[in-house]
Amino acid sequence: MTAEILEPRRRPTQERSHKKFDHLLLVARELLLEVGFESFTCEEVAHRAELPIGTLYQFFQNKYVIVCELDRVDAVAVRQELHSFAEAIPSLDWLKFLDRFIDHMAALWVNDPSRRAVWLAVQSTPATRATAAVTERELAGEVARALAPLTPGTPRERRTIMAEVLVHVVYSMLNFSIRDGQEHSESIIELKRLLAAYLLSAERT
């Protein structure tokens, strides 16, 4: 049975509704980071946002939908950096661009601890995992397009799989790099080595 993909009940079309929608997401992010997903409730989000609970339910059916929307929001900055990376290649210095891309991604996770809280939250149920997987695949599609000039001899089908692996590995390693007791800088160095070796070997296998 295919898991349900979680979407907001409606997305705002007017400026006033946009502000409420964005405010609810901002408050939800802060609450999630503060209390963790188990203690996270729609009622507390609405209370802290100083909005009626009915307003929240106009947009979000439950807390699972909220965290999936936060995951989509987090993907926006990643997509923007992917676009910049794609514009910089093909280049003889593409490894330098890869380093820059990973450094930018790592900074996002270090400077905003809520990213890890969101990532952990969307692992909580089959539906949230399935929804997060859709977001990952969308990012992977952009990675696959960026890979095309770097791996011209690789079949498109394999490039698609490579892109999905890369996105999943990067997300997993970034969250690994900022967990308690982990040396962040060393983890990022290993991530760069892993990605560079993987891409450099693509045309030889």
PDB file of all heavy atoms in Angstrom, residues 173 176-190:
ATOM      1  N   MET A 173      24.726  12.532   6.142  1.00  0.00           N
ATOM      2  CA  MET A 173      26.019  12.932   6.686  1.00  0.00           C
ATOM      3  C   MET A 173      25.957  14.308   7.350  1.00  0.00           C
ATOM      4  O   MET A 173      26.621  14.537   8.372  1.00  0.00           O
ATOM      5  CB  MET A 173      27.077  12.927   5.589  1.00  0.00           C
ATOM      6  CG  MET A 173      27.607  11.553   5.245  1.00  0.00           C
ATOM      7  SD  MET A 173      28.518  10.806   6.635  1.00  0.00           S
ATOM      8  CE  MET A 173      29.954  11.893   6.736  1.00  0.00           C
ATOM      9  N   PHE A 176      24.467  13.675  10.626  1.00  0.00           N
ATOM     10  CA  PHE A 176      25.473  12.971  11.423  1.00  0.00           C
ATOM     11  C   PHE A 176      26.526  13.941  11.943  1.00  0.00           C
ATOM     12  O   PHE A 176      26.980  13.834  13.083  1.00  0.00           O
ATOM     13  CB  PHE A 176      26.131  11.893  10.551  1.00  0.00           C
ATOM     14  CG  PHE A 176      27.325  11.231  11.171  1.00  0.00           C
ATOM     15  CD1 PHE A 176      27.181  10.247  12.142  1.00  0.00           C
ATOM     16  CD2 PHE A 176      28.616  11.582  10.782  1.00  0.00           C
ATOM     17  CE1 PHE A 176      28.291   9.628  12.706  1.00  0.00           C
ATOM     18  CE2 PHE A 176      29.724  10.974  11.339  1.00  0.00           C
ATOM     19  CZ  PHE A 176      29.566  10.001  12.308  1.00  0.00           C
ATOM     20  N   SER A 177      26.887  14.922  11.116  1.00  0.00           N
ATOM     21  CA  SER A 177      27.992  15.830  11.457  1.00  0.00           C
ATOM     22  C   SER A 177      27.687  16.752  12.625  1.00  0.00           C
ATOM     23  O   SER A 177      28.609  17.284  13.247  1.00  0.00           O
ATOM     24  CB  SER A 177      28.374  16.674  10.235  1.00  0.00           C
ATOM     25  OG  SER A 177      27.423  17.686   9.979  1.00  0.00           O
ATOM     26  N   ILE A 178      26.398  16.968  12.914  1.00  0.00           N
ATOM     27  CA  ILE A 178      26.063  17.922  13.975  1.00  0.00           C
ATOM     28  C   ILE A 178      25.422  17.250  15.189  1.00  0.00           C
ATOM     29  O   ILE A 178      24.922  17.936  16.080  1.00  0.00           O
ATOM     30  CB  ILE A 178      25.127  19.043  13.460  1.00  0.00           C
ATOM     31  CG1 ILE A 178      23.824  18.462  12.911  1.00  0.00           C
ATOM     32  CG2 ILE A 178      25.833  19.894  12.422  1.00  0.00           C
ATOM     33  CD1 ILE A 178      22.800  19.539  12.550  1.00  0.00           C
ATOM     34  N   ARG A 179      25.433  15.919  15.227  1.00  0.00           N
ATOM     35  CA  ARG A 179      24.875  15.282  16.413  1.00  0.00           C
ATOM     36  C   ARG A 179      25.856  15.428  17.584  1.00  0.00           C
ATOM     37  O   ARG A 179      27.044  15.705  17.384  1.00  0.00           O
ATOM     38  CB  ARG A 179      24.559  13.810  16.151  1.00  0.00           C
ATOM     39  CG  ARG A 179      25.747  12.897  16.021  1.00  0.00           C
ATOM     40  CD  ARG A 179      25.297  11.477  15.691  1.00  0.00           C
ATOM     41  NE  ARG A 179      26.397  10.542  15.738  1.00  0.00           N
ATOM     42  CZ  ARG A 179      26.275   9.246  15.456  1.00  0.00           C
ATOM     43  NH1 ARG A 179      25.090   8.767  15.106  1.00  0.00           N
ATOM     44  NH2 ARG A 179      27.322   8.442  15.519  1.00  0.00           N
ATOM     45  N   ASP A 180      25.368  15.242  18.767  1.00  0.00           N
ATOM     46  CA  ASP A 180      26.174  15.434  19.970  1.00  0.00           C
ATOM     47  C   ASP A 180      27.421  14.560  19.949  1.00  0.00           C
ATOM     48  O   ASP A 180      27.359  13.362  19.648  1.00  0.00           O
ATOM     49  CB  ASP A 180      25.352  15.117  21.219  1.00  0.00           C
ATOM     50  CG  ASP A 180      24.228  16.106  21.435  1.00  0.00           C
ATOM     51  OD1 ASP A 180      24.282  17.192  20.827  1.00  0.00           O
ATOM     52  OD2 ASP A 180      23.297  15.790  22.199  1.00  0.00           O
ATOM     53  N   GLY A 181      28.559  15.175  20.271  1.00  0.00           N
ATOM     54  CA  GLY A 181      29.797  14.435  20.376  1.00  0.00           C
ATOM     55  C   GLY A 181      30.512  14.201  19.074  1.00  0.00           C
ATOM     56  O   GLY A 181      31.603  13.625  19.052  1.00  0.00           O
ATOM     57  N   GLN A 182      29.929  14.658  17.972  1.00  0.00           N
ATOM     58  CA  GLN A 182      30.544  14.428  16.674  1.00  0.00           C
ATOM     59  C   GLN A 182      31.411  15.625  16.286  1.00  0.00           C
ATOM     60  O   GLN A 182      31.027  16.770  16.509  1.00  0.00           O
ATOM     61  CB  GLN A 182      29.465  14.200  15.606  1.00  0.00           C
ATOM     62  CG  GLN A 182      29.995  13.828  14.238  1.00  0.00           C
ATOM     63  CD  GLN A 182      30.817  12.564  14.296  1.00  0.00           C
ATOM     64  OE1 GLN A 182      30.421  11.588  14.914  1.00  0.00           O
ATOM     65  NE2 GLN A 182      31.979  12.586  13.664  1.00  0.00           N
ATOM     66  N   GLU A 183      32.582  15.368  15.696  1.00  0.00           N
ATOM     67  CA  GLU A 183      33.464  16.430  15.212  1.00  0.00           C
ATOM     68  C   GLU A 183      32.979  16.863  13.831  1.00  0.00           C
ATOM     69  O   GLU A 183      33.165  16.145  12.839  1.00  0.00           O
ATOM     70  CB  GLU A 183      34.912  15.929  15.144  1.00  0.00           C
ATOM     71  CG  GLU A 183      35.898  16.959  14.637  1.00  0.00           C
ATOM     72  CD  GLU A 183      35.862  18.271  15.422  1.00  0.00           C
ATOM     73  OE1 GLU A 183      35.965  18.220  16.665  1.00  0.00           O
ATOM     74  OE2 GLU A 183      35.694  19.327  14.778  1.00  0.00           O
ATOM     75  N   HIS A 184      32.362  18.026  13.771  1.00  0.00           N
ATOM     76  CA  HIS A 184      31.707  18.469  12.542  1.00  0.00           C
ATOM     77  C   HIS A 184      32.684  18.613  11.375  1.00  0.00           C
ATOM     78  O   HIS A 184      32.445  18.083  10.281  1.00  0.00           O
ATOM     79  CB  HIS A 184      30.998  19.808  12.798  1.00  0.00           C
ATOM     80  CG  HIS A 184      30.433  20.430  11.554  1.00  0.00           C
ATOM     81  ND1 HIS A 184      29.304  19.936  10.933  1.00  0.00           N
ATOM     82  CD2 HIS A 184      30.865  21.478  10.806  1.00  0.00           C
ATOM     83  CE1 HIS A 184      29.059  20.668   9.862  1.00  0.00           C
ATOM     84  NE2 HIS A 184      29.977  21.600   9.760  1.00  0.00           N
ATOM     85  N   SER A 185      33.777  19.311  11.586  1.00  0.00           N
ATOM     86  CA  SER A 185      34.695  19.598  10.480  1.00  0.00           C
ATOM     87  C   SER A 185      35.270  18.317   9.875  1.00  0.00           C
ATOM     88  O   SER A 185      35.408  18.201   8.649  1.00  0.00           O
ATOM     89  CB  SER A 185      35.826  20.518  10.948  1.00  0.00           C
ATOM     90  OG  SER A 185      36.557  19.920  12.006  1.00  0.00           O
ATOM     91  N   GLU A 186      35.587  17.350  10.714  1.00  0.00           N
ATOM     92  CA  GLU A 186      36.127  16.092  10.209  1.00  0.00           C
ATOM     93  C   GLU A 186      35.074  15.327   9.402  1.00  0.00           C
ATOM     94  O   GLU A 186      35.390  14.701   8.380  1.00  0.00           O
ATOM     95  CB  GLU A 186      36.631  15.226  11.364  1.00  0.00           C
ATOM     96  CG  GLU A 186      37.878  15.788  12.047  1.00  0.00           C
ATOM     97  CD  GLU A 186      38.374  14.884  13.163  1.00  0.00           C
ATOM     98  OE1 GLU A 186      37.779  13.801  13.355  1.00  0.00           O
ATOM     99  OE2 GLU A 186      39.361  15.256  13.817  1.00  0.00           O
ATOM    100  N   SER A 187      33.837  15.386   9.845  1.00  0.00           N
ATOM    101  CA  SER A 187      32.758  14.718   9.112  1.00  0.00           C
ATOM    102  C   SER A 187      32.578  15.334   7.731  1.00  0.00           C
ATOM    103  O   SER A 187      32.354  14.613   6.742  1.00  0.00           O
ATOM    104  CB  SER A 187      31.447  14.816   9.898  1.00  0.00           C
ATOM    105  OG  SER A 187      31.545  14.177  11.144  1.00  0.00           O
ATOM    106  N   ILE A 188      32.673  16.652   7.642  1.00  0.00           N
ATOM    107  CA  ILE A 188      32.502  17.332   6.353  1.00  0.00           C
ATOM    108  C   ILE A 188      33.663  16.996   5.419  1.00  0.00           C
ATOM    109  O   ILE A 188      33.459  16.805   4.205  1.00  0.00           O
ATOM    110  CB  ILE A 188      32.375  18.852   6.558  1.00  0.00           C
ATOM    111  CG1 ILE A 188      31.125  19.167   7.379  1.00  0.00           C
ATOM    112  CG2 ILE A 188      32.346  19.579   5.217  1.00  0.00           C
ATOM    113  CD1 ILE A 188      29.846  18.610   6.813  1.00  0.00           C
ATOM    114  N   ILE A 189      34.865  16.908   5.946  1.00  0.00           N
ATOM    115  CA  ILE A 189      36.018  16.506   5.123  1.00  0.00           C
ATOM    116  C   ILE A 189      35.779  15.120   4.534  1.00  0.00           C
ATOM    117  O   ILE A 189      36.023  14.881   3.336  1.00  0.00           O
ATOM    118  CB  ILE A 189      37.316  16.530   5.957  1.00  0.00           C
ATOM    119  CG1 ILE A 189      37.710  17.979   6.273  1.00  0.00           C
ATOM    120  CG2 ILE A 189      38.449  15.827   5.216  1.00  0.00           C
ATOM    121  CD1 ILE A 189      38.846  18.098   7.271  1.00  0.00           C
ATOM    122  N   GLU A 190      35.305  14.198   5.353  1.00  0.00           N
ATOM    123  CA  GLU A 190      35.047  12.839   4.868  1.00  0.00           C
ATOM    124  C   GLU A 190      33.924  12.832   3.845  1.00  0.00           C
ATOM    125  O   GLU A 190      33.957  12.065   2.866  1.00  0.00           O
ATOM    126  CB  GLU A 190      34.716  11.913   6.038  1.00  0.00           C
ATOM    127  CG  GLU A 190      35.873  11.683   6.994  1.00  0.00           C
ATOM    128  CD  GLU A 190      37.115  11.173   6.274  1.00  0.00           C
ATOM    129  OE1 GLU A 190      36.988  10.243   5.452  1.00  0.00           O
ATOM    130  OE2 GLU A 190      38.211  11.712   6.518  1.00  0.00           O
TER     131      GLU A 190
END
